[in-house]
Amino acid sequence: MKKVIMGNHALSWGAQLGRAQVIAAYPITPQTQVVELLSEMCANKTLDAKFIKVESEHSAMAACIAASIAGARTFTATSSQGLTLMHELLHWASGGRNPVVMGNINRAMAPGWSIWTDQNDSLSQRDTGWIQFYCSSNQEVVDTVIQAFRVSEAVMIPSMVILDAFALSHTYEVVDIPDQEKVDAFLPPFNPPIRLTPTAPHAFGGLTSPEHYFELRYKLQKDMEKVPDLVEQTGREYEKMFGRYLGQVEDYRCEDAELIFVTSGTAGYTARVGVDQLRQEGVKAGNLRIKMFRPFPFAKVREILTKAGKVAVVDRNISYGHHGVFYQEVKSALYGRDHNVPLFGYITGLGGRDITPEIYKEIAQLTLAKDKPEEDITWIGVKR
Amino acid sequence: MKKEKTMKLSLPTEELMGSGHLACQGCAATLAMRYVLKALGQKTALCIPACCWSVIDGPFPHSSLGVPIFHCAFETAASSASGLKAGLEMVGDMETTVVAWAGDGGTFDIGIQALSGAAERNDDIIYICYDNEAYMNTGIQRSSATPYGAWTTTTPVKHFKNRPKKDIDAIMAAHRIPYQATANTSYPEDLFKKAKKAKEIKGTRFLHIYTPCPTGWKSRPEDTVKLGRMAVQNCIFPLYEVENGEKYTLNIKPREKKPVNDYFRLQGRFRHLKEEHLKFIQAEVDHSWERLLKLAEPK
């Protein structure tokens, strides 16, 4: 069934098709339509779930975690200030191995108040032990939520499905809504090996001495390391059933590229337009959009970027006192490998300033004009 | 022939709490758990945030309780319990009583937002606060449940707590939840009865249990039960129930209301108080008691 829906509703549709059983959420601009539609879905009984209308994002995540421990499939959605209020609980979800799936709308952090997009909210949750998927279309949002349940529950690690404020959250696109029966075949009910029940009483998350803690964290990392292959495998399976492949990265015209952009989110979609325009002008450009940021798709990134002439990483975020976050990550992925690819780091579009095809042309000009980068951050479009 | 003497036990003999816990000597919080579980039975699940009980239960992989526990984040006892109840029901378990079991810090202070949220939604949970009147697990720091005049490590004797204990019961009554009660481990039958009653009611139920703490109060472990009885007899911690935020029932009305002085003398945390402070405290206790009597008057 094809429908014209907004990005936020794509999250709600993903949660309904995935048969989320407990939803706990709190409203925040620009996420509100996610919870509005979910409320309707629950009220109309098209979704058989309990929706706990909590008094904060902190409680939203706490309720989801506890429901997940009971063996229920759980979903929530938030953005920016709400996500960072949850920060403590994000560790709780991953450390407790609770496969909660959450939508996050990328919105710049206050102060000053901003409701427009950048990635600093979710990227500052980088080390919380969550799988992170960045989406660039509403179709991808629906498909990714369904896949996120499957991947998360297989490794018992929570997932974040991320989309840009307004550029995607409020943009209407045609989406092919998958058939419920087919989704049910792809995604069986959540059936965790251990759950909280009085019939087999256990204490979850109790005081853990140095004798055991280390091993619990080792196991979390080892299971995180399984995720890239799992995403490939479930992505191929999804493709067979639904005709759309979901992977760790999307490479566009990279095979013969002298310049590859590294992008994410909707900026990664715009990059394809930039690449096409550059190709028309004779520049062999390509685009590597990173869809899965955690765990980092090392193998894919190395395979594609080491064949490039030059790489320009475009960050809509910044780690203050360091560089753009994707730039850091790509650098670390390529470090010590046998290649001679110069890496250029660009920061642009903070706080929702538009990233247009022209920006990619500017970045291409700057990158092609130099043999090597002279600085780690080149600011694009900043007023100085 | 010798006649055998028998005594009728007022509480069930079944135990859901083992002896291998890690509490201090004379800890009333252990009594509270033991009596409450006797009332609620094995089909109970606990959400325990950071508090003495997150240690008392025992470290991973041990637990001294025969019911499942989710050790949750400090400020999430209520929201975790709401989530757990919803999750259990969605997987087909409609029976289990879900309990948030938190200390006074986790209830009066850091957890009050989540508690207020759950109470306003009337989520089907029992919230139990065992109140030892300070952050005892972290080493006796003042909370908003610490009474006027008390020494703690963050209210040294030269600057003792100069504000009264927060009236959490009035706050809960303002939420108009179906059932709430104060209770005391020195009155186990009353506590048992209230926990049983709470179990049979749907919606948010709140039990506020007074639990003396020899470590933090600088009292003798053998005085724990005595202190609990004194706090009821001198009306510092009256035992009462409130239904729907309106119907107050006073459970114990002392025949002769005792002065507060003896209670204060048994606790090192009040040793620095002068006669004038005790007079002030007595006046405050009298005032609160009168107010409660009015609320509990038959209408």
Side-chain angles (χ1 to χ4, degrees):
Chain A
M1 174 183 56
K2 289 202 169 162
K3 272 177 93 79
V4 177
I5 59 171
M6 72 191 303
N8 279 341
H9 287 173
L11 278 173
S12 318
W13 273 99
Q16 174 170 281
L17 288 162
R19 295 194 190 277
Q21 293 169 296
V22 174
I23 296 159
Y26 186 77
I28 180 170
T29 301
Q31 154 268 34
T32 44
Q33 292 81 10
V34 185
V35 291
E36 286 167 5
L37 183 56
L38 282 170
S39 302
E40 276 180 38
M41 287 167 162
C42 291
N44 297 338
K45 308 235 187 277
T46 54
L47 174 58
D48 179 21
K50 289 189 186 288
F51 191 148
I52 310 174
K53 282 130 195 189
V54 284
E55 81 302 325
S56 73
E57 289 89 353
H58 197 278
S59 285
M61 187 47 64
C64 283
I65 290 168
S68 180
I69 289 174
R73 182 171 287 159
T74 57
F75 182 84
T76 185
T78 188
S79 175
S80 185
Q81 314 296 137
L83 179 68
T84 50
L85 180 63
M86 282 180 185
H87 177 76
E88 179 199 14
L89 277 306
L90 298 184
H91 284 278
W92 222 279
S94 59
R97 308 301 295 267
N98 313 124
V100 179
V101 171
M102 167 163 64
N104 180 64
I105 316 300
N106 270 148
R107 162 184 155 182
M109 295 295 302
W113 281 116
S114 169
I115 54 169
W116 298 277
T117 196
D118 75 31
Q119 300 170 322
N120 263 47
D121 59 348
S122 56
L123 289 176
S124 63
Q125 312 309 317
R126 179 178 71 173
D127 300 332
T128 55
W130 280 60
I131 299 165
Q132 288 197 356
F133 297 107
Y134 287 78
C135 299
S136 71
S137 73
N138 293 351
Q139 183 69 62
E140 197 179 352
V141 172
V142 174
D143 295 337
T144 303
V145 172
I146 295 163
Q147 192 183 2
F149 282 121
R150 170 93 180 253
V151 170
S152 277
E153 289 166 13
V155 288
M156 297 296 276
I157 297 174
S159 285
M160 226 180 268
V161 179
I162 300 156
L163 41 156
D164 291 304
F166 302 106
L168 201 57
S169 69
H170 286 62
T171 298
Y172 282 77
E173 292 180 328
V174 177
V175 171
D176 185 3
I177 308 275
D179 290 340
Q180 184 67 62
E181 302 84 71
K182 275 166 85 183
V183 175
D184 291 345
F186 175 80
L187 179 66
F190 180 37
N191 189 18
I194 301 167
R195 62 175 72 190
L196 190 149
T197 167
T199 54
H202 296 291
F204 291 72
L207 185 67
T208 309
S209 71
E211 181 69 23
H212 301 290
Y213 186 93
F214 197 1
E215 284 69 27
L216 294 177
R217 291 304 175 261
Y218 169 79
K219 285 181 178 174
L220 177 54
Q221 170 65 11
K222 284 290 143 192
D223 287 337
M224 259 293 192
E225 288 170 5
K226 291 177 190 162
V227 172
D229 285 347
L230 190 61
V231 166
E232 281 307 307
Q233 187 193 314
T234 52
R236 293 292 170 208
E237 205 179 309
Y238 195 87
E239 187 183 24
K240 260 187 214 152
M241 294 178 72
F242 301 97
R244 292 180 298 274
Y245 166 66
L246 290 165
Q248 309 167 60
V249 298
E250 178 196 68
D251 52 317
Y252 182 72
R253 303 182 86 166
C254 285
E255 309 78 33
D256 61 342
E258 55 183 310
L259 167 65
I260 296 181
F261 299 116
V262 176
T263 57
S264 56
T266 51
Y269 206 90
T270 311
R272 290 173 24 170
V273 180
V275 163
D276 289 345
Q277 290 179 359
L278 282 161
R279 289 244 169 197
Q280 277 171 11
E281 292 165 16
V283 179
K284 283 185 181 168
N287 179 48
L288 176 68
R289 180 167 65 85
I290 295 182
K291 293 163 72 170
M292 184 178 78
F293 172 72
R294 274 291 177 274
F296 197 74
F298 287 107
K300 288 277 174 193
V301 165
R302 283 171 189 151
E303 179 196 323
I304 293 162
L305 294 187
T306 49
K307 290 182 205 145
K310 286 176 178 172
V311 169
V313 183
V314 183
D315 273 297
R316 193 175 225 167
N317 62 76
I318 179 164
S319 172
Y320 303 108
H322 205 289
H323 313 133
V325 173
F326 282 87
Y327 178 64
Q328 295 171 9
E329 299 267 339
V330 170
K331 253 216 270 200
S332 96
L334 297 189
Y335 178 78
R337 301 277 145 173
D338 188 22
H339 69 92
N340 280 313
V341 185
L343 282 179
F344 293 73
Y346 296 92
I347 290 182
T348 189
L350 298 186
R353 198 167 294 175
D354 282 341
I355 300 181
T356 58
E358 288 66 41
I359 281 186
Y360 287 102
K361 281 194 204 166
E362 187 185 342
I363 290 172
Q365 269 175 10
L366 288 167
T367 309
L368 295 172
K370 290 178 191 138
D371 291 335
K372 275 192 287 188
E374 285 158 15
E375 52 192 1
D376 285 306
I377 303 176
T378 301
W379 299 83
I380 301 294
V382 75
K383 295 170 215 157
R384 286 188 259 213
Chain B
M1 212 171 115
K2 205 173 152 193
K3 199 181 169 190
E4 272 188 52
K5 282 187 180 170
T6 56
M7 191 172 87
K8 196 168 171 273
L9 294 174
S10 53
L11 297 178
T13 51
E14 192 202 356
E15 296 288 355
L16 283 164
M17 183 177 148
S19 54
H21 62 75
L22 301 181
C24 307
Q25 269 193 353
C27 169
T30 54
L31 298 175
M33 180 66 86
R34 192 174 156 223
Y35 299 146
V36 164
L37 288 184
K38 278 173 185 282
L40 300 183
Q42 208 271 323
K43 281 195 174 160
T44 300
L46 302 172
C47 292
I48 304 183
C51 62
C52 286
W53 252 104
S54 49
V55 175
I56 295 172
D57 180 53
F60 172 85
H62 306 286
S63 172
S64 57
L65 300 182
V67 298
I69 304 167
F70 171 36
H71 289 280
C72 61
F74 205 171
E75 59 282 57
T76 69
S79 43
S80 295
S82 298
L84 186 57
K85 181 68 185 171
L88 286 170
E89 289 198 352
M90 285 309 294
V91 299
D93 175 356
M94 315 303 279
E95 276 181 288
T96 296
T97 304
V98 176
V99 175
W101 179 271
D104 50 285
T107 304
F108 288 60
D109 291 344
I110 199 166
I112 197 168
Q113 177 180 320
L115 170 58
S116 176
E120 183 273 328
R121 295 187 301 272
N122 200 25
D123 285 346
D124 192 22
I125 59 168
I126 303 181
Y127 191 106
I128 299 180
C129 171
Y130 66 99
D131 179 5
N132 51 27
E133 303 196 317
Y135 291 91
M136 298 312 185
N137 193 33
T138 46
I140 326 169
Q141 291 82 28
R142 65 91 89 184
S143 75
S144 60
T146 304
Y148 173 90
W151 161 90
T152 67
T153 56
T154 52
T155 48
V157 289
K158 277 187 188 160
H159 190 234
F160 60 73
K161 176 126 188 284
N162 62 359
R163 293 286 299 148
K165 184 185 182 88
K166 188 189 277 182
D167 191 350
I168 193 78
D169 305 298
I171 292 170
M172 294 316 293
H175 287 77
R176 310 228 168 171
I177 51 174
Y179 181 70
Q180 68 182 85
T182 62
N184 183 321
T185 48
S186 301
Y187 293 84
E189 292 88 355
D190 177 77
L191 169 57
F192 177 85
K193 206 174 71 192
K194 286 168 175 169
K196 266 258 186 246
K197 186 169 174 183
K199 187 187 173 184
E200 303 311 320
I201 294 168
K202 275 227 159 225
T204 305
R205 295 138 285 167
F206 180 76
L207 295 183
H208 179 192
I209 309 178
Y210 172 92
T211 52
C213 166
T215 308
W217 294 11
K218 304 298 169 204
S219 58
R220 295 185 302 177
E222 60 268 38
D223 282 344
T224 288
V225 173
K226 190 175 178 183
L227 281 167
R229 294 195 83 83
M230 289 171 99
V232 173
Q233 296 299 323
N234 63 20
C235 304
I236 280 181
F237 195 90
L239 296 180
Y240 62 98
E241 296 165 287
V242 189
E243 283 157 84
N244 303 311
E246 284 180 340
K247 192 179 167 238
Y248 281 70
T249 308
L250 196 58
N251 306 112
I252 292 182
K253 195 173 171 184
R255 241 172 264 157
E256 182 202 347
K257 184 162 161 287
K258 300 272 183 7
V260 298
N261 297 34
D262 294 346
Y263 171 82
F264 279 78
R265 273 190 210 109
L266 285 179
Q267 302 173 55
R269 63 174 174 157
F270 295 121
R271 191 169 294 138
H272 53 280
L273 295 184
K274 301 198 168 72
E275 202 53 41
E276 73 212 57
H277 300 128
L278 291 175
K279 266 190 189 156
F280 173 76
I281 291 165
Q282 183 69 62
E284 289 286 302
V285 170
D286 292 347
H287 176 72
S288 300
W289 176 245
E290 289 303 320
R291 203 178 53 171
L292 181 62
L293 285 178
K294 276 205 189 98
L295 285 167
E297 263 172 18
K299 300 214 165 70

